[in-house]
Amino acid sequence: GLVEHGALAPTVVKCISRCIEADSTRNKTKYAPKLVRGLHFVSSSNHNKQPPPAAAQDYEGGAVFMSDLPSTGLAPGSEHFDITIEACRFSGFAALHGGAIYVVNMRARLKIADSIFDHNTAIDGQGGAVSIDTSTDVVLDRVHCEENRANHNLTKLGHGGCLSVTSDAEEGLPSRVVVNAFTSRGDQATQYGGAVYVGRSSAMTMT
């Protein structure tokens, strides 16, 4: 169990594809779970020692995908969040970008806390475990990454073995991310940022 993070007996959730998808552009919804806590998300392909599904090469966020969720008006630095993922573990997921979690064009305030990411892979992109793209208010507290990998095959990417923070300045606002008490062990990238990569028009504060 995740004893060190307070989840003594996390519920195992095996996912054939994505576990959570909150995409206001595709699903025409502006809603996402407010709290996800105490779950161990496991890729079914990894659990069965199978290669990542072919579909993983065509989408972002192997376990969690969040896109275009609007702000509810919470101020940056507030102790409150629109969405919180805490005391969770993500194991063995793969996707083009953001092996486990991909966040894009988010204005909602997001917190990922007391969580572990292990053996996740960005197949041909950025963020072996987590990719944050053009999102303005994300906080990572006490996140541990282990043996995640960002690869490049057809692209010149392969950045951020665990975490990638990037922005498309022409399409949206710069990413702003705060990272506290982050640890990494054995994460790798075939290009830049074995553990963490911060791209153009992005700001990250790490303590």
Side-chain angles (χ1 to χ4, degrees):
L2 306 184
V3 177
E4 66 271 41
H5 294 310
L8 298 181
T11 301
V12 175
V13 179
K14 297 177 184 177
C15 305
I16 297 174
S17 56
R18 285 195 187 115
C19 310
I20 299 172
E21 183 169 340
D23 181 356
S24 67
T25 60
R26 182 179 304 173
N27 299 329
K28 304 302 181 183
T29 178
K30 296 182 179 180
Y31 302 100
K34 183 172 179 61
L35 176 63
V36 179
R37 187 178 192 281
L39 299 176
H40 184 181
F41 296 98
V42 179
S43 169
S44 62
S45 62
N46 177 266
H47 178 77
N48 296 321
K49 300 188 183 304
Q50 298 295 319
Q57 301 183 40
D58 298 323
Y59 64 65
E60 294 86 8
V64 177
F65 180 85
M66 295 184 182
S67 173
D68 293 274
L69 298 175
S71 170
T72 60
L74 295 175
S78 166
E79 63 180 13
H80 302 290
F81 293 85
D82 298 307
I83 305 163
T84 300
I85 298 172
E86 67 178 10
C88 289
R89 186 168 189 163
F90 296 84
S91 302
F93 289 93
L96 187 65
H97 304 289
I101 296 179
Y102 184 74
V103 178
V104 62
N105 294 330
M106 282 269 286
R107 303 296 173 264
R109 186 161 163 75
L110 168 66
K111 181 178 183 179
I112 302 172
D114 298 319
S115 295
I116 295 173
F117 296 85
D118 68 277
H119 298 91
N120 302 289
T121 303
I123 296 172
D124 191 13
Q126 304 180 130
V130 180
S131 178
I132 298 168
D133 183 359
T134 319
S135 298
T136 58
D137 198 357
V138 181
V139 174
L140 276 65
D141 278 344
R142 300 173 300 280
V143 166
H144 176 70
C145 288
E146 188 163 335
E147 300 292 340
N148 302 287
R149 186 173 178 88
N151 294 330
H152 80 285
N153 294 309
L154 301 177
T155 70
K156 294 181 180 180
L157 298 177
H159 306 326
C162 172
L163 170 65
S164 170
V165 180
T166 59
S167 297
D168 186 342
E170 296 176 358
E171 295 295 330
L173 297 174
S175 286
R176 293 195 300 268
V177 179
V178 175
V179 179
N180 302 310
F182 170 86
T183 56
S184 167
R185 183 168 66 183
D187 298 305
Q188 299 181 52
T190 54
Q191 295 286 349
Y192 305 116
V196 177
Y197 173 76
V198 181
R200 68 170 188 165
S201 301
S202 301
M204 186 177 74
T205 301
M206 180 175 282
T207 61

